[in-house]
Amino acid sequence: MQWSWSESVLSNKERVMEELIQGRELASQLSTAFDNRSLVNGDDGGSDEGIVNEILGSVVNTPLIMNGKESDQEFVSVQIQGNSSGVSGSGGSGVSDGGSDGGGGADSSSWGANHDHVTAIKSEDYPEEEIKINCKSTSTFKDRRGYYKGRNTAHSWTKDTPALIDDGHAWRKYGQKNIRNAKHPRNYFRCTHKFDQACKATKHVQQVQDHPPMFRTTYYGTHTCRDYFKTSELVLDCTSPRDSSEFISFDSANCLTNKQEHLFSAPFASSSVQELIVKATSDHTVTSHDNHWPSSDYLVSHVDLMAFESSGPMSRFSSSIDQYDGDDVFSRMIAEYFDIYKSNSTGANPAQHQVEKTSRVPVNEVQRVE
DNA sequence: CAAATTTGACCGCA
DNA sequence: TGCGGTCAAATTTG
């Protein structure tokens, strides 16, 4: 391993935590705003929602700070390609397997200019995803190493990020290769559910630049697995003495078991918003000790919000939230909040509402953005 | 002990 | 023929 995947996480942690704390303060302001509005306007839910949307908007658009950059300034270059020629970036010949490549230059020539802006190039009209299954029908080989199914070239895209990001899916590393003319090896990942759910998605990750670090992730195929909402877990426990920074955790069993994938940048974009909403809700309404929300109910992986597999990647998480049905979820949650809050202020038992409010948005509703 | 990672071997394609 | 992608045994990790 030539780079430390965890280092980039650690370097970001403080900033992320700061942002989360800031988010909580905003939630606090949200609550205060409700209080004040309620006193002034009585039961004017409509205008309250306006305030909520206003504040929420600011929350959603709060830049996620990663790697010393705000997320909306993060240069994420995305290319969707119909063939692999552009993906590998460097042609030519050279380094043999396992050998040290003293090579030159991390492919900077092909993409290095993609700084400080976002590009999304989507190729069109590829043929159907063609998976050549070169089964040796007459063969009884047990060892099928190198078994070549045909390069999964359709529906591939690359994403360059200054930090390794969690894309919300569970990946298992299955190989690493030194790539000719590349300073760093390329890591090969397949979906963890390749076998149990026949998910064909794979990705390659390679560090393509040192200073500043730049990682190129190339995705192949689409996820057919159903692990979206287990990818991260929102842990809520208002009674917990733990620091607020622990409100959000990521389920290592479901998503980030790959230690090299313990790189959470993007998920906070959505999770922080969710935490704000939940926190605001719990401040007013939760009296039950069992206020752990089922994480999968409201949790929308940012990847899903981005409709990553179906519509191609979005460059800004905030905009992706705005763009997709995720905001519908938020609206419903806010609406529910209002119901609860109003009931609470009129003497209703909030705990009951808390239970009732689990009339959740069906996961699939959120998920289907295709 | 199961799951994940490492790593050398194998294979298809250009 | 060599590069890149994948496999799978061995090893590590939790």
Side-chain angles (χ1 to χ4, degrees), chain A residues 7 11 22-23 35 42 49 74 77 92 108-109 123 151 167 191 204 219 223 243 250 274 305 307 324 333 340:
Chain A
E7 280 175 10
S11 65
Q22 190 179 9
D35 289 336
E49 289 196 45
E74 179 177 312
S77 169
S108 58
S109 60
S123 65
R151 209 159 288 180
D167 55 21
C191 180
H204 308 165
Y219 295 88
H223 282 276
D243 183 82
F250 291 88
Q274 292 159 5
L305 292 175
Y324 293 98
M333 294 170 69
I340 294 165

Side-chain angles (χ1 to χ4, degrees), chain A residues 2 94-103 178-184:
Chain A
Q2 304 206 4
V95 178
S96 61
D97 291 356
S100 64
D101 50 358
N178 287 318
I179 301 301
R180 178 187 172 282
N181 286 339
K183 225 172 182 176
H184 303 277

Side-chain angles (χ1 to χ4, degrees), chain A residues 281 285 293 298 329-342 353 356-361:
Chain A
T281 304
T285 67
W293 286 14
Y298 279 110
V329 178
F330 297 149
S331 297
R332 294 200 200 191
M333 294 170 69
I334 291 299
E336 288 168 353
Y337 170 79
F338 273 98
D339 290 341
I340 294 165
Y341 176 74
K342 288 172 189 173
H353 283 273
E356 289 169 7
K357 75 187 285 299
T358 57
S359 56
R360 304 149 194 150
V361 179

Side-chain angles (χ1 to χ4, degrees), chain A residues 63-85:
Chain A
L64 179 66
I65 301 170
M66 298 301 301
N67 262 11
K69 299 177 181 62
E70 294 175 351
S71 67
D72 59 350
Q73 293 176 339
E74 179 177 312
F75 32 91
V76 178
S77 169
V78 175
Q79 296 180 326
I80 302 176
Q81 297 166 347
N83 59 65
S84 63
S85 60

Side-chain angles (χ1 to χ4, degrees), chain A residues 16 27 38-39 58 87 100 105 109 111 175 185 187 194 227 280 283 327 333-334 351 368:
Chain A
V16 172
S38 181
L39 288 175
S58 71
V87 172
S100 64
S109 60
W111 54 275
N187 295 270
K194 177 180 180 176
D227 192 35
D283 281 345
D327 58 352
M333 294 170 69
I334 291 299
R368 298 191 191 288

Side-chain angles (χ1 to χ4, degrees), chain A residues 3 159-164 205-208 213-217:
Chain A
W3 75 78
K159 184 171 69 170
D160 292 344
T161 57
L164 294 162
V205 181
Q206 183 175 10
Q207 184 174 5
V208 289
M214 181 68 73
F215 300 88
R216 171 167 292 179
T217 303

Side-chain angles (χ1 to χ4, degrees), chain A residues 230-336:
Chain A
K230 298 177 182 176
T231 55
S232 56
E233 185 174 20
L234 193 59
V235 177
L236 301 170
D237 188 352
C238 295
T239 63
S240 169
R242 295 180 304 173
D243 183 82
S244 62
S245 63
E246 296 183 53
F247 270 107
I248 294 175
S249 68
F250 291 88
D251 186 350
S252 61
N254 289 312
C255 170
L256 300 176
T257 48
N258 182 342
K259 68 181 179 183
Q260 295 181 343
E261 295 290 289
H262 267 274
L263 303 155
F264 37 90
S265 55
F268 281 88
S270 54
S271 299
S272 59
V273 173
Q274 292 159 5
E275 186 207 355
L276 287 174
I277 296 168
V278 172
K279 179 64 179 170
T281 304
S282 60
D283 281 345
H284 283 280
T285 67
V286 174
T287 56
S288 167
H289 292 297
D290 184 17
N291 56 355
H292 290 254
W293 286 14
S295 63
S296 60
D297 292 330
Y298 279 110
L299 185 57
V300 183
S301 161
H302 74 283
V303 171
D304 301 301
L305 292 175
M306 292 163 71
F308 212 90
E309 278 73 26
S310 56
S311 304
M314 302 295 297
S315 55
R316 292 182 54 170
F317 301 121
S318 57
S319 62
S320 69
I321 290 173
D322 293 338
Q323 181 168 351
Y324 293 98
D325 291 343
D327 58 352
D328 187 48
V329 178
F330 297 149
S331 297
R332 294 200 200 191
M333 294 170 69
I334 291 299
E336 288 168 353

